[in-house]
Structures are given as structure tokens and as C-alpha cells.
Amino acid sequence: MRHLPLTATYLVDGAIPAREVLATTVNLFLAAFVLSAVRYLSHSVWPAVLGHALLNTVLVYAYANFIIPTADLGEGAYWLHTAVSWVVWIAAIAVTVWHLVRARGRSGAAVQTR
């Protein structure tokens, strides 16, 4: 969550509106959960690093190529866009939790068979 002080600074400086701070904070929390789980499941930092790089690349591409920047969207369109991204993150978390439960079940079964 090292991005949060920067996000707060942008808010205080007036560089981004409060709605974007809220959306960014929730997105950072959800992304941190998924990337941390990827790191845990892989036993390596590199898949999480690749995931972070891919996420940044996709976001930069999407923001650079939207016809209307998200900052210029009206309230309803902005929150609909944000809700869709949160649904995608929640789906990624559900898949990640499923993998975590499976991994824990396998490690517990291996301990019991010894």
C-alpha cells in the first residue's frame, strides 16, 4: 500500500478529485490482495512483478486510448466504470481464494498422509 501516500498527496494538492482517490484506494487494495496471493502461491516474487507490470501496461494503454478520459466522465458513468473494474477485481479475488484453498488442502493432505 505504498501508493496511498502519493494518492493522498494528489488529493491535498487538488491534482485529483476525491472520487478518484476513493476509486484508486479500493483498486489498490484489491490489486494488492491478488498480487500478494500470486506471490504466495508461486513461492516467487516474479509472477507478482509481472502481474504488476501487466496491470500498469494495460491501464496506461486503456487510459491513453479511451475516447473520454475517466476524469472527464459524469458521476454516473464514472461510478459505472469503477463498479465494472471492482467486479473484475472481485472475480480475480474469488479465483485467487479458490487457488489458495486448493493449495492449503493439498499441503494439509500431504501432511496427514505422512
Side-chain angles (χ1 to χ4, degrees):
M1 301 311 277
R2 295 179 183 203
H3 296 349
L4 292 180
L6 181 60
T7 305
T9 301
Y10 286 152
L11 176 65
V12 170
D13 288 345
I16 60 175
R19 73 179 189 177
E20 289 197 38
V21 171
L22 174 62
T24 300
T25 301
V26 173
N27 282 330
L28 287 170
F29 175 75
L30 297 172
F33 183 90
V34 172
L35 292 175
S36 296
V38 166
R39 192 266 174 247
Y40 174 81
L41 288 168
S42 68
H43 303 290
S44 173
V45 71
W46 292 110
V49 169
L50 284 170
H52 191 289
L54 179 64
L55 178 63
N56 287 351
T57 302
V58 168
L59 288 175
V60 167
Y61 176 79
Y63 288 141
N65 292 295
F66 276 149
I67 294 172
I68 300 172
T70 56
D72 295 341
L73 293 174
E75 288 299 312
Y78 180 83
W79 288 112
L80 178 62
H81 173 268
T82 301
V84 169
S85 71
W86 290 349
V87 167
V88 171
W89 278 119
I90 290 168
I93 288 171
V95 169
T96 303
V97 167
W98 180 74
H99 281 291
L100 287 168
V101 168
R102 280 190 58 214
R104 183 169 288 201
R106 277 185 272 151
S107 67
V111 170
Q112 291 175 356
T113 59
R114 289 184 184 171

